[in-house]
Amino acid sequence: MDTKALTAAEIAAGLKKGDFSSREITEAYLKTAKSHSGDTHAFVVVDEDGALAAADESDSRRSKGGPVSRLDGVPVAVKDNMLVAGRRATAGSAILKDYVASYDATVVARMRQAGMPVLGHTNMDEYAMGSSTETSCHGPTRNPWDTERVPGGSSGGSAVAVAEGSAPLALGSDTGGSIRQPAALCGTVGFKPTYGRVSRYGLIALASSLDQIGPFARSVRDAADLLAVIEGRDPNDSTSVDLQTDWALPETYKDRLDGLKIGIPKEYFISGMEEGVEKAVQSAIRRFEELGAEIREISLPHSDFALAVYYILMPCEASSNLARFDGMRYGARVPAATLEETYRKSRGQGFGKEARRRIMLGTYALSAGYYDAYYLRALKVRRLIADDFIRAFTSVDCILSPTSPTVAWKLGEMLDDPLSMYLQDVFTVSVNVAGLPAISVPCGFSQGMPVGLQLIGRHFGDKTVLEAAYAFEQASGGFGEFVPAKGATSRQ
Amino acid sequence: MSLKPEEVEKIAGLAKLELAEDEKESFREQISSILDYVGKLAKADIGGADPMSHSVPMLNVLREDTVAACGKETRDAVVDAFPESESDMLKVKAVFS
């Protein structure tokens, strides 16, 4: 079975027809996942027993004619910051290397309920801090298009798993672009839902006001199907909201986009963008016009401040969230003579460089005398950025931009230059700052590497974004073009 | 702006992080350059903008003050995660000494 060529919808249809069982399909993905452990290293751990047990349950339910969900028996991978009861979840951090979760994250419980076998945990930047999946305590993940290059991050493992055919679907988390950017760099679809659409309960937090869980998939339809499984109000996450139920899954989507107004922010097309990326995105814009969409130039005047707002708010929230990792109740403890020394050593040795850097940055910005100048000021500019979007959405239905200013770069290239790495998030962070939905879909190539385009929607306008992306994907031929040719090329 | 070495020490103390000697200088430089970058917010005309902490309304979630039951398996998993324990109790260094 060629797992690289299958969408989740095709798997669901094959299971329904009886072409194969969930056990067979799950085994095929487990085999692919294991075969790439030495080259791309998408998975931190493959959970063969757990996945096959769930697959057998799904098969038995189906054979008895019991109720089956739309994605029943379709396997899925989860990022290593989502809890699965009885399984390790490390968030890529040495401080949690031996941590075994005591409960399921809400998204995991919902996928379990839907009969989806969980293939294992995928690699990520430590605590989701990074754009390259190089800061994991388990070592880096590599891009299946060119294993000398990064897959993007922080959900790099999930993006690679889907791109290389180690999983038909995967979950990632997106705080400043951590689903969309690796999706773009690996040639998959990645969707960050509106903040509040998906419960964060059981997600190891980076920045609680920005984090949102979302799907990676081979197609927009698959991403929408997985979103439908995981979304909705959860009493265990006070920021999750009741959703209107008028949302239709993609077979009702249209192939044309007549009447849709798409805004192109002039501030996003100025400097620093790779030429091939700009070309691919410009030709995608023409494709949208052919589909009947009306293209309008818009302005998001505070765009230039978005990255600065993000790189204050995120470390502030992270420094507070990561205070719980102190070697006391769980995680690694480095014994010392006093309690204070135990904290300092456990945290100093348990956290990697980037995590410590961001904790320091956040602690500084929140410390006495600096709070007003950094944190409070950033919250005010955050409002201005959100207002820019509200204003823009009075004249357009969605906003189009590149997902990332460049294609995937070489491993190690930016690891010691945090600011350059942070600048890679320039097109994605505003979306989290404003809490909006946004998708990345593949739209072409530059330097032989995939390029992604981003569509941003109104607050809870997730459906509009998915519909527009779906029509674009249909018109441009779907994912077939975005399969890494020979899979992972061997490392030199 | 450029952080002073003693400021780096102070932040590390507040954050309860032990830093290696060679890191103190590289962190000082890197954090200084990030602060330079984010300092551009000083130029934003914030007028009377309301601080925005979240993009959805924040509401308190209240429940009765009763203990919610938890299965033995969950309880054992929590206890197993303790870095140091004595019988079923979490062991820590003296808080007051």
Side-chain angles (χ1 to χ4, degrees):
Chain A
M1 212 162 327
D2 183 10
T3 56
K4 232 184 260 175
L6 285 170
T7 62
E10 285 162 353
I11 296 170
L15 289 167
K16 200 171 173 183
K17 277 200 293 182
D19 294 346
F20 39 74
S21 64
S22 173
R23 172 171 265 268
E24 284 168 333
I25 201 81
T26 303
E27 276 174 343
Y29 279 101
L30 288 167
K31 197 177 147 202
T32 313
K34 284 192 283 187
S35 75
H36 286 301
S37 65
D39 47 48
T40 55
H41 188 224
F43 281 82
V44 170
V45 66
V46 174
D47 181 12
E48 193 153 2
D49 296 344
L52 291 177
D56 288 344
E57 275 174 40
S58 170
D59 285 335
S60 125
R61 223 174 12 254
R62 197 181 292 273
S63 69
K64 287 181 192 140
V68 287
S69 82
R70 199 176 164 103
L71 290 175
D72 219 298
V74 180
V76 61
V78 298
K79 187 174 178 178
D80 202 28
N81 57 358
M82 296 173 202
L83 306 190
V84 177
R87 298 288 182 266
R88 265 167 229 270
T90 71
S93 181
I95 205 168
L96 285 177
K97 218 164 82 193
D98 298 314
Y99 174 70
V100 175
S102 58
Y103 66 98
D104 278 340
T106 298
V107 288
V108 170
R110 287 186 178 169
M111 294 194 301
R112 213 189 273 285
Q113 189 70 33
M116 302 177 70
V118 176
L119 295 163
H121 278 105
T122 56
N123 203 13
M124 57 184 281
D125 281 300
E126 184 178 5
Y127 286 105
M129 295 173 176
S131 313
S132 66
T133 317
E134 291 170 286
T135 68
S136 166
C137 72
H138 308 286
T141 292
R142 291 164 182 269
N143 195 307
W145 293 85
D146 175 356
T147 52
E148 296 299 305
R149 296 182 193 238
V150 300
S154 67
S155 315
S158 287
V160 172
V162 170
E164 73 184 8
S166 291
L169 293 167
L171 289 185
S173 62
D174 190 316
T175 306
S178 283
I179 291 173
R180 291 159 286 156
Q181 185 255 17
L185 269 44
C186 292
T188 72
V189 172
F191 183 55
K192 177 215 153 324
T194 301
Y195 181 86
R197 189 162 198 114
V198 179
S199 166
R200 295 177 292 107
Y201 181 68
L203 170 73
I204 298 172
L206 166 55
S208 303
S209 83
L210 304 161
D211 296 344
Q212 189 64 189
I213 294 173
F216 283 92
R218 273 296 173 70
S219 73
V220 176
R221 183 198 151 122
D222 285 359
D225 278 0
L226 182 52
L227 177 64
V229 172
I230 60 172
E231 68 180 1
R233 165 99 184 124
D234 171 15
N236 287 327
D237 176 358
S238 66
T239 61
S240 70
V241 299
D242 272 319
L243 299 170
Q244 294 176 339
T245 48
D246 64 343
W247 119 282
L249 288 166
E251 55 257 25
T252 64
Y253 287 0
K254 298 183 205 76
D255 291 335
R256 297 270 315 161
L257 295 172
D258 298 291
L260 186 82
K261 295 184 199 74
I262 299 179
I264 311 290
K266 61 177 184 201
E267 291 84 0
Y268 283 28
F269 286 82
I270 35 173
S271 63
M273 201 188 302
E274 187 176 315
E275 203 188 324
V277 170
E278 181 157 11
K279 247 169 108 177
V281 173
Q282 292 294 355
S283 90
I285 292 173
R286 286 193 294 278
R287 174 90 69 187
F288 275 101
E289 276 182 308
E290 287 160 20
L291 289 169
E294 185 191 321
I295 306 292
R296 288 186 183 178
E297 187 184 89
I298 57 155
S299 173
L300 298 169
H302 296 91
S303 294
D304 191 36
F305 296 118
L307 208 56
V309 167
Y310 178 77
Y311 276 98
I312 292 172
L313 296 183
M314 179 270 299
C316 285
E317 293 190 26
S319 70
S320 163
N321 273 327
L322 269 58
R324 75 190 69 178
F325 301 101
D326 56 3
M328 293 297 124
R329 291 163 300 149
Y330 47 72
R333 178 184 293 183
V334 180
T338 64
L339 183 67
E340 178 76 15
E341 270 307 293
T342 310
Y343 289 146
R344 290 179 62 117
K345 283 190 186 302
S346 301
R347 290 166 59 78
Q349 294 171 33
F351 290 131
K353 246 194 176 94
E354 181 63 13
R356 276 176 290 145
R357 194 149 47 213
R358 294 198 196 186
I359 291 171
M360 295 277 289
L361 195 55
T363 304
Y364 177 79
L366 289 172
S367 64
Y370 297 102
Y371 177 90
D372 285 2
Y374 290 105
Y375 186 68
L376 188 61
R377 194 167 186 92
L379 289 183
K380 290 180 177 173
V381 183
R382 179 182 198 174
R383 172 75 62 193
L384 300 176
I385 292 168
D387 287 349
D388 280 354
F389 280 105
I390 292 172
R391 215 170 300 118
F393 282 125
T394 59
S395 64
V396 295
D397 303 303
C398 52
I399 293 172
L400 187 155
S401 79
T403 306
S404 164
T406 66
V407 294
W409 57 93
K410 295 266 164 70
L411 263 87
E413 211 174 304
M414 287 191 234
L415 207 48
D416 283 322
D417 186 0
L419 193 54
S420 294
M421 185 86 93
Y422 297 175
L423 292 170
Q424 292 296 317
D425 302 337
V426 64
F427 299 129
T428 48
V429 293
S430 301
V431 166
N432 302 74
V433 165
L436 304 174
I439 197 166
S440 179
V441 282
C443 71
F445 293 92
S446 175
Q447 305 177 44
M449 299 297 291
V451 174
L453 93 92
Q454 173 175 246
L455 285 168
I456 307 167
R458 292 190 181 93
H459 206 219
F460 290 100
D462 304 56
K463 188 170 169 246
T464 309
V465 169
L466 290 163
E467 280 175 341
Y470 178 83
F472 173 78
E473 177 189 62
Q474 294 301 303
S476 43
F479 81 95
E481 211 186 324
F482 295 95
V483 176
K486 293 184 292 290
T489 46
S490 57
R491 238 186 285 172
Q492 281 144 23
Chain B
M1 71 172 297
S2 188
L3 286 179
K4 297 189 192 81
E6 57 269 29
E7 286 178 295
V8 174
E9 297 279 359
K10 188 189 163 205
I11 307 164
L14 289 171
K16 307 220 181 302
L17 281 176
E18 180 191 66
L19 296 182
E21 275 312 315
D22 59 325
E23 262 176 3
K24 289 180 186 166
E25 183 51 25
S26 66
F27 272 26
R28 194 186 67 76
E29 285 168 19
Q30 288 165 346
I31 294 171
S32 299
S33 84
I34 296 164
L35 288 173
D36 272 341
Y37 178 80
V38 299
K40 74 189 326 182
L41 288 193
K43 285 183 264 164
D45 179 9
I46 48 174
D50 262 349
M52 173 177 166
S53 72
H54 276 78
S55 56
V56 292
M58 296 305 285
L59 302 166
N60 280 328
V61 180
L62 302 173
R63 63 167 172 80
E64 289 306 311
D65 188 16
T66 49
V67 177
C70 127
K72 183 177 183 309
E73 223 171 285
T74 308
R75 183 187 181 281
D76 289 350
V78 172
V79 173
D80 284 346
F82 292 166
E84 228 182 314
S85 58
E86 221 171 274
S87 51
D88 263 2
M89 286 180 288
L90 171 63
K91 198 172 173 183
V92 296
K93 282 275 169 208
V95 178
F96 303 104
S97 49

